[in-house]
Amino acid sequence: MWRDSVRGLLYVAWKDMRAYYFKPPNISWGMLFPGALILAFAVRTPGDLQALVPGLVAMTALFSATSMEAIVITFERRTGALERLLLAPLTLPALLAGKGLGGMIFGLTISAVVLVGASLGFRLILWRLPIALLALIFSTAAFSALGGLVSVMVDEVFEAQTLANAIRFPMIFLCGVFVPLEQLPDPLPVVARFLPLTYAVEALDVALLKGPVSAMGLDLAALLAFTGVLLVAATAILKRRLD
């Protein structure tokens, strides 16, 4: 039974990547929008541009991992494709995990390209790249799970896009990329601790700029917890909506 679930999970991820993810609009949205935000901030507030690299990579991971993940399930529910997938020997958690894996791989691919490019462009220490990739794996898993939760909460694609943006944009300005958490007015630093992007930025900041690697432990644990909680919540909501 578990072999069927794993096989089905991998098939779902492969199908979604071929059908939805690796398309020019998704790639450009995942890379250009975070880059434009960072460029605007750098022009407005010149300074140590190296310090912006972790935020750029983390935001790229967020937008690329959720670009289609937040609407795929909604779209397939509308077309009946999701129900056809459930006719296979595939459990609902495995189905959602497959959907999440597709978004995670896409987000990891796009953000890894930005990571390598930024590291070379800003002459960061290249031996830190594998550590940063580890942080990206945990980050994209959490962001993909977030996209899956958004997708099961609504009935229409435009609603999923609206809800995803309503979650993503506040995270950008609360996660410490543009304003350090300690400079945010109360209670915003507390709110930031309930956002996965905060931990992704911190983990990448440690991996790329500050070290040691052990300092990433809490951030990686938080991202793993976010992934689990979001997947469980998405599974429960989708099961209720399909019953």
Side-chain angles (χ1 to χ4, degrees), residues 99-230:
K99 295 287 186 184
L101 180 61
M104 176 184 170
I105 292 174
F106 178 71
L108 183 61
T109 302
I110 300 302
S111 55
V113 171
V114 173
L115 170 65
V116 173
S119 297
L120 294 174
F122 289 98
R123 298 180 180 179
L124 300 181
I125 302 173
L126 294 184
W127 68 261
R128 287 185 172 273
L129 284 180
I131 305 171
L133 284 173
L134 177 64
L136 274 181
I137 290 172
F138 281 77
S139 300
T140 51
F143 298 151
S144 182
L146 175 63
L149 178 62
V150 169
S151 194
V152 302
M153 292 177 66
V154 296
D155 296 316
E156 302 290 344
V157 170
F158 75 89
E159 293 175 336
Q161 293 172 329
T162 300
L163 180 58
N165 287 331
I167 295 173
R168 289 184 298 205
F169 283 102
M171 279 203 293
I172 289 174
F173 298 104
L174 293 176
C175 68
V177 175
F178 302 113
V179 180
L181 295 186
E182 57 270 16
Q183 295 182 17
L184 292 173
D186 292 334
L188 295 184
V190 177
V191 175
R193 288 299 165 190
F194 290 90
L195 306 175
L197 185 58
T198 302
Y199 298 95
V201 172
E202 289 184 347
L204 286 165
D205 191 49
V206 170
L208 290 171
L209 302 176
K210 295 179 179 179
V213 180
S214 58
M216 294 170 51
L218 179 60
D219 297 309
L220 297 185
L223 290 168
L224 184 61
F226 273 112
T227 303
V229 170
L230 292 169

Side-chain angles (χ1 to χ4, degrees), residues 1-13 89-91 94 98 101:
M1 179 65 179
W2 68 267
R3 291 181 180 178
D4 290 335
S5 293
V6 171
R7 191 181 301 113
L9 182 158
L10 295 176
Y11 169 78
V12 169
L90 184 66
T91 65
L101 180 61

Side-chain angles (χ1 to χ4, degrees), residues 28-94:
S28 61
W29 171 248
M31 298 176 68
L32 294 181
F33 183 75
L37 278 178
I38 291 290
L39 179 61
F41 182 80
V43 171
R44 177 65 178 82
T45 311
D48 182 11
L49 298 183
Q50 276 191 352
L52 296 176
V53 173
L56 170 62
V57 177
M59 287 194 298
T60 302
L62 172 66
F63 278 89
S64 55
T66 59
S67 61
M68 287 298 295
E69 183 67 22
I71 65 174
V72 165
I73 297 175
T74 305
F75 174 75
E76 291 191 345
R77 284 178 58 212
R78 298 293 295 173
T79 61
L82 191 70
E83 284 76 8
R84 289 194 292 272
L85 284 175
L86 290 172
L87 293 176
L90 184 66
T91 65
L92 196 56

Side-chain angles (χ1 to χ4, degrees), residues 10-35:
L10 295 176
Y11 169 78
V12 169
W14 173 246
K15 175 192 72 69
D16 282 0
M17 285 189 290
R18 290 186 59 190
Y20 304 119
Y21 285 105
F22 287 94
K23 309 292 184 182
N26 295 332
I27 295 172
S28 61
W29 171 248
M31 298 176 68
L32 294 181
F33 183 75

